[in-house]
Amino acid sequence: MFTVSHVHHIAIICSDYNVSKRFYNEILGFKILKETYREARQSYKLDLAINEHQQIELFSFPSPPARPSHPEAQGLRHLAFAIQDLESCIQHLNKHGIVTECIRLDDLTGKRFTFFADPDGLPLELYEG
């Protein structure tokens, strides 16, 4: 038996490294911890801090295969970020040309949330509270 203290990182493979780097760093505001070019893989690895415990590892590869991103497809459904002010976050994303869905209400928790997508169509959620 073992105990997990928290999620350490989420790994994302992107199709356009510079576009995704800008999106996660400049638009979502995740701090760059380390950027590494791996010559043998012709790949970048970018470590981004979500907070003091969680990170995103952003990878580039020469020709990654596309993955279906439909909300009900098998596998990871979406990645959700906890935020405090949903309207200001939506305004910030919209200001940068990022389309957000209408605000929804979680029937189970009463919390508000919305969805948007990263540059590769990965579904992302903002969850208020």
Side-chain angles (χ1 to χ4, degrees):
M1 183 71 163
F2 61 90
T3 303
V4 175
S5 65
H6 61 273
V7 172
H8 180 267
H9 69 269
I10 297 106
I12 299 171
I13 298 172
C14 62
S15 64
D16 186 320
Y17 179 74
N18 289 320
V19 169
S20 291
K21 177 182 175 180
R22 180 182 174 277
F23 177 80
Y24 284 100
N25 174 242
E26 295 178 23
I27 296 174
L28 296 188
F30 299 147
K31 179 184 173 188
I32 294 174
L33 299 173
K34 185 176 183 182
E35 183 175 36
T36 306
Y37 183 73
R38 303 175 311 164
E39 183 68 39
R41 294 181 179 212
Q42 298 177 349
S43 170
Y44 279 97
K45 178 182 182 278
L46 184 67
D47 296 317
L48 297 150
I50 297 172
N51 57 38
E52 66 183 68
H53 296 291
Q54 286 91 26
Q55 298 177 20
I56 287 180
E57 290 181 343
L58 184 66
F59 291 93
S60 68
F61 289 103
S63 297
R67 179 188 316 226
S69 188
H70 307 290
E72 303 306 329
Q74 186 177 12
L76 179 66
R77 181 173 178 168
H78 63 265
L79 176 57
F81 300 110
I83 50 91
Q84 294 303 312
D85 183 354
L86 189 58
E87 280 86 4
S88 68
C89 291
I90 289 171
Q91 289 173 2
H92 175 77
L93 292 172
N94 294 163
K95 183 179 91 178
H96 287 89
I98 298 166
V99 176
T100 54
E101 293 184 1
C102 294
I103 294 174
R104 301 187 206 179
L105 187 65
D106 186 323
D107 294 335
L108 300 175
T109 65
K111 302 289 184 174
R112 299 179 327 143
F113 64 96
T114 190
F115 285 96
F116 63 105
D118 85 346
D120 288 306
L122 176 66
L124 302 175
E125 177 183 355
L126 295 176
Y127 195 85
E128 191 174 57

